[in-house]
Each structure stands twice: as C-alpha cells, then as structure tokens.
C-alpha cells in the first residue's frame, strides 16, 4: 500500500478485516511526516467548519470536532487515532521512487527504506504532490510573487496587496473571499464561467457526476475531479461575496507582463501576486516503469483495477477521489486483491503461502 490518506487508510482497514496483518502480510508506506494525508498540509485558515464534507473512515466516526480549529489539526488527529485504534502501523516518512517488475510475478517497490517485493499493490497517492501550474506567455517576466494552492499560506500575507486569483473551483473561491478581506484589491480569473449550484446536491446528481469522471477513466483519459463537474455550492458566504463584487469573474488573460496580466483586447491588470488555484494531477509517476498509461495520458481502470496490470489497484483516483468514494474504493480494491491471493492459494498464480509484501 502506497499512501495513508483517506483512501489508503480505508484500504488498510479492509485488508485487516479480511485477516491480513500489517508488517506480516502487507505494508503501508506514506511519505508524509505524520498522520493526516494531504489534510496536514492545508492552510491554517481552512477551519474544519469550512470543509465541504469529510466522510468518516470505515469503522470509526469523527465526532465532537471543533469547527473553529484548522482542518489540518482536526483531521490529522482523527487519522492518528484511527491508525492507532486499528493497529495499521504506517511506515513514515518513506518515499517511493519506482514500482517495476521484480521477477517471479512480483512487483519490486523501490523505497527510501529499501526495496519490497509485492504480489499486489494498492496505490493511494492522491494528487497533493502534483500541483498543476498552467503556462502563459511572459510568465517568467512577472516581477511579483506567484504561488499555488499547494503552498498557500492563508490570507494575512496578502494584506494591502493587489492579488489575482486564477481558478474557478472551491479552493479558488475560498482563497479569494478571505484574501479580499485584507488585500488592497482582488481579481478573479477563470477559464470558464463558474457554475453556482443552488440547494443541496442530490444523490442522483452525485451519481451522475461520478459517472462522468468514471467514463474518462475507462477511456484511459486523465481523470477530472468529481468537484469539477458538480458546480460551486451557493451558500451565504458566497452570496455575500457576489453581492460585494468579490466574485465578479474575468475571462482568462492572454499573457503575463512584468507588472500583471493582459488581454488581447487591450485590458490590463497590475498585481503584486498571482495565486494559481488551478488544481492538481494524479501523483503516479512512480508507476511509470509498469507502462500503465494509455495513449490518452491516463491509466485505464475498471473499478479500481488497472486494465494493463491486474496486480495494481488505484484508489483515490478519478471517481474515487472524493472522501466517500475513497472509502468505497478501498473496500473494492481489497476484494480484488483477496481474489488474487485466493487464486494463488489454489495454485493458479504465484505462491499462496508467501506474504503479499516482503522486504527484499
């Protein structure tokens, strides 16, 4: 198992449920310094009360959380308690550099604590380590500061500055609304007009959104996030920001200048900061030696199983990138691995009496 965020811990829980023991039958590797998955890196002003839903991990609810505390602290403590409660024994910090063929039907997982030989792999590495930075003409000439959601420090650093926020997702709007309270001026730029969603998001709409992402994955295309096809919830804070003009959107600029951005129609905006809230891509470069990618650039997946290699299961990828989807994917991946191990015990593949992952 690579990754100990929501999807990884769900997978580890279900591995234990089918009778496998950590460090004997399977190993959980995580590059982060402490429990919490990507949540531990979120900016301090993202309190738990601002989080758009955090589905509980299987077998243990998150109760009594203080909405005013940073989500990094709340969810970090929850994941820590979860790992201890179920004895998941996560190895951290461990970097995985590559996964390749290891001979004898096993995978060779190369890590900073040494190589492992594995009969199967659950990849739960998420997206946080691969922030997407668009490229525009003149970008290298900008004399101000450019940063991404991945290293967003919170609003206080932008006091008195002119800030351009690029991106029409939930992070972009959250950044914009809190920066606008301290900045001299803010500008919101998106590639497409944002879609605001009134009322609760129904189960039918949710299934339709997941189906759209799932279809891309089946075709071997890079996955879109589920959030990108659901629209932005129109809550009271968003309504106020729209009424105050904070969420007045500008179309995407055509180039970046030393002092700001410019459009081909002659418009210009001067700025001290460009904040790219432009999302993330799947962190799967370590799987490159296995040649799992399709011509479209993504990994074709049926359920959680990579079509090109039945030993590989991807969770938290594409349609399972949401917190509830990650839980379900963890369970589905373990079912697939259990079938693989049972086949080995029947003598039809590998050696059933060997653990699923061992140090080399």
């Amino acid at each position: 198992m690579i990754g100990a965020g929501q999807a990884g811990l769900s997978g580890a829980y279900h591995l234990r449920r089918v009778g496998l023991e950590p460090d004997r039958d399977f190993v959980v590797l995580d590059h982060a310094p402490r429990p919490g998955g990507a949540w531990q890196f979120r900016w301090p002003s993202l309190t738990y009360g601002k989080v758009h839903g955090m589905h509980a991990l299987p077998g243990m609810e998150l109760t009594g959380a203080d909405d005013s505390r940073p989500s990094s602290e709340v969810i970090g403590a929850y994941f820590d308690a979860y790992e201890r409660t179920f004895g998941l024994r996560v190895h951290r910090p461990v970097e995985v550099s590559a996964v390749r063929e290891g001979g004898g039907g096993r995978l060779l997982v190369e890590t900073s604590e040494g190589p492992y030989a594995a009969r199967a792999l659950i990849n739960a590495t998420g997206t946080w380590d691969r922030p997407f930075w668009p490229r525009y003409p003149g970008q290298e000439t900008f004399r101000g500061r450019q940063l991404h959601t991945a290293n967003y420090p919170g609003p206080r650093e932008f006091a008195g500055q002119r800030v351009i926020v690029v991106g029409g997702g939930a992070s972009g709007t959250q950044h914009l609304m809190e920066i606008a309270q301290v900045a001299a001026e803010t500008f919101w730029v998106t590639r497409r007009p944002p879609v605001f969603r009134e009322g609760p998001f129904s189960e039918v709409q949710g299934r339709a959104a997941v189906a759209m992402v799932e279809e891309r994955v089946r075709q071997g295309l890079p996955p879109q996030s589920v959030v990108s096809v659901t629209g932005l919830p129109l809550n009271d804070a968003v309504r106020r920001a729209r009424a105050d003009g904070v969420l007045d959107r500008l179309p995407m600029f055509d180039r970046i200048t030393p002092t700001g951005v410019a459009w081909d129609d002659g418009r210009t905006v001067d700025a001290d900061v460009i904040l790219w809230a432009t999302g993330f891509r799947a962190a799967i470069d370590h799987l490159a030696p296995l040649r799992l990618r399709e011509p479209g650039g993504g990994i074709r997946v049926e359920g959680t199983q990579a079509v090109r290699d039945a030993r590989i299961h991807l969770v938290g990828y594409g349609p399972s990138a949401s917190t509830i989807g990650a839980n379900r994917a963890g369970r589905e991946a373990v079912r697939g691995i259990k079938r693989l191990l049972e086949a080995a015990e029947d003598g039809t593949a590998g050696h059933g009496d060997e653990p699923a992952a061992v140090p080399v």
Side-chain angles (χ1 to χ4, degrees):
M1 170 90 64
I2 306 175
Q6 180 102 17
L9 293 182
S10 173
Y13 169 87
H14 287 291
L15 285 170
R16 293 219 67 178
R17 291 268 293 179
V18 299
L20 301 181
E21 286 294 322
D23 289 341
R24 187 193 73 185
D25 302 311
F26 69 94
V27 177
V28 183
L29 309 174
D30 189 39
H31 83 101
R34 56 191 177 274
W39 289 100
Q40 67 193 270
F41 305 114
R42 298 296 203 270
W43 49 100
S45 56
L46 182 63
T47 59
Y48 186 65
K50 294 179 182 177
V51 171
H52 293 308
M54 219 303 292
H55 199 273
L57 286 159
M60 181 176 165
E61 294 291 326
L62 198 174
T63 58
D66 181 351
D67 282 354
S68 66
R69 286 182 64 200
S71 59
S72 58
E73 295 179 8
V74 172
I75 297 173
Y78 171 52
F79 281 18
D80 182 38
Y82 190 86
E83 290 177 16
R84 289 185 285 103
T85 297
F86 295 106
L88 299 181
R89 303 178 205 165
V90 178
H91 295 222
R92 62 165 60 92
V94 176
E95 298 290 338
V96 175
S97 55
V99 181
R100 61 182 81 249
E101 288 292 346
R106 284 187 176 256
L107 299 162
L108 180 65
V109 183
E110 298 175 354
T111 85
S112 58
E113 70 173 11
Y116 285 88
R119 293 160 60 196
L121 173 71
I122 297 177
N123 190 83
T125 46
T127 62
W128 187 259
D129 297 322
R130 281 203 63 200
F132 174 62
W133 290 76
R135 291 290 174 254
Y136 281 85
Q139 196 159 5
E140 71 285 353
T141 70
F142 182 60
R143 293 197 292 263
R145 182 184 182 191
Q146 296 187 62
L147 68 160
H148 190 277
T149 291
N151 52 10
Y152 173 65
R156 287 185 294 180
E157 288 195 20
F158 306 101
Q161 297 185 319
R162 292 163 60 87
V163 181
I164 298 171
V165 177
V166 183
S171 294
T173 55
Q174 287 177 1
H175 298 338
L176 184 66
M177 289 189 294
E178 61 183 24
I179 290 172
Q181 297 176 37
V182 299
E185 196 169 8
T186 59
F187 306 89
W188 187 30
V189 177
T190 70
R191 284 195 304 129
R192 290 182 294 270
V195 177
F196 292 97
R197 169 173 49 82
E198 287 272 13
F201 197 63
S202 72
E203 185 177 343
V204 171
Q205 291 171 309
R207 285 199 299 267
V210 169
M212 290 174 65
V213 180
E214 197 167 42
E215 182 56 30
R216 286 182 60 87
V217 170
R218 284 202 193 98
Q219 295 175 18
L221 299 171
Q224 292 175 305
S225 69
V226 174
V227 173
S228 70
V229 295
T230 61
L232 297 166
L234 193 56
N235 55 32
D236 289 343
V238 171
R239 289 189 181 92
R240 285 194 299 271
R242 294 182 78 184
D244 293 342
V246 172
L247 291 178
D248 286 347
R249 170 257 180 189
L250 295 170
M252 198 66 209
F253 47 76
D254 296 296
R255 60 191 178 280
I256 299 174
T257 70
T259 59
V261 299
W263 288 259
D264 287 344
D265 63 6
R267 286 181 297 172
T268 62
V269 165
D270 288 339
D272 303 296
V273 179
I274 301 174
L275 172 55
W276 299 91
T278 45
F280 299 79
R281 300 294 184 262
I284 52 176
D285 288 350
H286 55 286
L287 301 178
L290 298 176
R291 301 181 182 278
L292 301 177
R293 288 187 187 269
E294 301 292 332
I299 297 177
R300 191 152 58 98
V301 173
E302 291 289 348
T304 62
Q305 189 176 68
V307 170
R308 289 178 178 255
D309 193 327
R311 298 168 298 178
I312 309 295
H313 287 261
L314 287 89
V315 298
Y317 179 82
S320 64
S322 65
T323 57
I324 186 169
N327 284 358
R328 292 169 176 167
R331 181 175 62 244
E332 183 173 351
V334 169
R335 287 173 177 167
I337 287 174
K338 185 180 179 184
R339 288 193 294 270
L340 178 71
L341 298 181
E342 287 172 347
E345 291 168 1
D346 291 339
T348 58
H351 302 281
D353 58 345
E354 296 180 2
V358 293
V360 175

